[in-house]
Amino acid sequence: MSTFACGGGSSMGYKRAGCTIVAANDIDPEMAWHYQHNLKPASYYLCPIGDLLKRDLPSELFELDILDGSPPCSTFSMAGSREKSWGKKEHFREGQAEQVLSDLFFDYLSLVERLKPRVAIAENVKGMILGNAKGYTKLVMRRFREIGYRPQLFLVNAADCGVPQRRERVFFCALREDIQRPELTLQPKHRWIGAGEATADLQELTASETLETKPSNTLIKWWSKTRPDERLEQAVIRAGQKPALFNWSKLSSAVPAKSLVSTCTEMISHWAECRSLTFREWKRLGSFPDDYYAKTDKIGKYMIGMSVPPKMTEQVARAVIKQWLQP
């Protein structure tokens, strides 16, 4: 199955599902370097997705089985500024370019309209189906129909896909209207894997890892007062203080990790030791391969926090291939 991945870290999941990545796209040179180093796609387009609407593209991109898109999601995240950022240009991490992030989903849909893949799949945060963002989601669904696709919307928990992380994401799965197949069923039911089980063989730290995960004064103060699978904020409240440290958390070994967030890499702490997590642990909790290479551990953690967990994408891809694309 030929796949073109636009943004995000979804390609590993498609490769696990047996797809061939014929091309990939992102705007960030740093992400592009890591993508090409680890995944080696046949073609890579380092540019805004809107540029792909105007440039000459090879014929194979007009014969795709799947066009995947993961437009930047911070503008819809419940942890972000949401409505205040809609329709405004912002400097975002992806290449530090100034973009209207809420428009990028429609740039992706314009690319779907141009390339006409058999299936279009797009991922975003749960915030897209909450509050005022539901109106935006309805516009996305309507646009899919206008360009000749039958879209379906799913809320998927990565933990149900075998990822040791409780990360909920919205998936738009759309079948080209000339292809007659029943509606997609997407109900992964993998057993939940605890953070401790997933990282059991990684608990002997190297000297550099010990230094890298050294706890901050804030963590030293509140870690022992925080229960497993709690935010440090809850310990602060129990101590009778004003709520604070909302983004800081202590994992539990018994259940999948809370969602790994790219902006909070040093604020997610180990369950048995007062320290942050190593890059090796992040890879396991994000279902990335152990040999995934990053220039620095900080960059690696950031990428995992920004990416769709590969095992999660794999489950979506396998369902689409089996129900919609196989003869």
Side-chain angles (χ1 to χ4, degrees):
M1 299 296 167
S2 60
T3 303
F4 183 1
C6 299
S10 56
S11 290
M12 282 180 286
Y14 285 107
K15 291 186 75 170
R16 289 173 62 102
C19 297
T20 299
I21 309 302
V22 297
N25 159 252
D26 204 292
I27 194 176
D28 187 342
E30 193 71 78
M31 298 303 107
W33 186 94
H34 285 84
Y35 198 113
Q36 292 172 294
H37 180 87
N38 287 285
L39 296 168
K40 299 175 175 59
S43 299
Y44 197 98
Y45 297 93
L46 178 61
C47 65
I49 190 172
D51 288 4
L52 299 176
L53 303 175
K54 300 169 286 186
R55 67 192 296 174
D56 291 334
L57 297 173
S59 60
E60 63 183 3
L61 296 188
F62 294 87
E63 300 172 353
L64 292 169
D65 291 305
I66 299 172
L67 176 59
D68 172 89
S70 297
C73 55
S74 64
T75 192
F76 298 109
S77 172
M78 297 306 291
S81 55
R82 281 175 63 85
E83 290 88 342
K84 291 181 180 179
S85 65
W86 295 354
K88 295 181 180 179
K89 289 186 177 181
E90 295 186 23
H91 286 284
F92 193 62
R93 173 62 182 85
E94 272 92 349
Q96 300 299 324
E98 192 174 60
Q99 305 175 90
V100 181
L101 301 186
S102 53
D103 286 353
L104 293 181
F105 212 120
F106 290 95
D107 288 343
Y108 163 73
L109 290 172
S110 294
L111 187 62
V112 173
E113 183 179 24
R114 182 186 183 195
L115 300 182
K116 289 287 189 290
R118 295 169 69 191
V119 173
I121 299 175
E123 172 272 344
N124 218 287
V125 293
K126 182 181 178 180
M128 278 198 75
I129 57 174
L130 300 175
N132 292 338
K134 288 188 287 187
Y136 182 96
T137 299
K138 289 179 181 178
L139 293 177
V140 170
M141 296 290 278
R142 185 171 74 185
R143 182 61 179 149
F144 264 122
R145 296 186 186 99
E146 289 173 351
I147 62 177
Y149 285 80
R150 296 193 301 274
Q152 291 179 245
L153 187 62
F154 302 93
L155 178 63
V156 182
N157 191 325
D160 292 328
C161 300
V163 181
Q165 182 186 164
R166 305 193 307 274
R167 189 185 191 105
E168 290 186 299
R169 285 296 182 268
V170 167
F171 283 86
F172 296 81
C173 299
L175 181 67
R176 205 172 63 209
E177 63 183 2
D178 64 302
I179 302 172
Q180 299 305 311
R181 292 295 173 92
E183 285 197 342
L184 183 69
T185 299
L186 185 56
Q187 296 177 324
K189 297 185 182 299
H190 197 287
R191 74 173 182 88
W192 280 23
I193 300 172
E197 177 185 346
T199 62
D201 59 330
L202 306 179
Q203 297 310 302
E204 284 191 25
L205 273 55
T206 65
S208 61
E209 286 177 330
T210 300
L211 183 62
E212 169 213 342
T213 60
K214 184 178 178 181
S216 64
N217 290 335
T218 297
L219 191 61
I220 291 171
K221 180 177 180 179
W222 293 107
W223 183 85
S224 63
K225 301 178 178 69
T226 305
R227 297 163 187 160
D229 205 36
E230 269 193 350
R231 300 186 187 280
L232 270 63
E233 178 188 46
Q234 292 166 284
V236 172
I237 293 172
R238 282 197 296 271
Q241 299 186 23
K242 183 179 178 180
L245 307 180
F246 175 80
N247 289 325
W248 295 69
S249 63
K250 179 179 180 178
L251 301 186
S252 167
S253 65
V255 296
K258 294 179 183 291
S259 187
L260 300 180
V261 183
S262 61
T263 56
C264 304
T265 57
E266 307 308 315
M267 302 178 188
I268 302 171
S269 61
H270 196 271
W271 50 92
E273 300 174 353
C274 182
R275 63 171 176 83
S276 60
L277 302 177
T278 66
F279 179 37
R280 290 191 295 152
E281 289 169 330
W282 269 72
K283 286 189 281 189
R284 287 286 180 86
L285 299 178
S287 76
F288 274 58
D290 286 350
D291 62 356
Y292 190 87
Y293 176 79
K295 290 181 181 179
T296 68
D297 288 356
K298 183 177 181 179
I299 292 174
K301 292 177 183 179
Y302 173 86
M303 289 191 298
I304 293 171
M306 288 292 292
S307 297
V308 189
K311 282 189 177 180
M312 189 180 203
T313 304
E314 177 189 2
Q315 292 304 310
V316 174
R318 287 189 182 279
V320 165
I321 292 167
K322 181 178 180 180
Q323 298 176 47
W324 279 356
L325 295 177
Q326 285 183 343

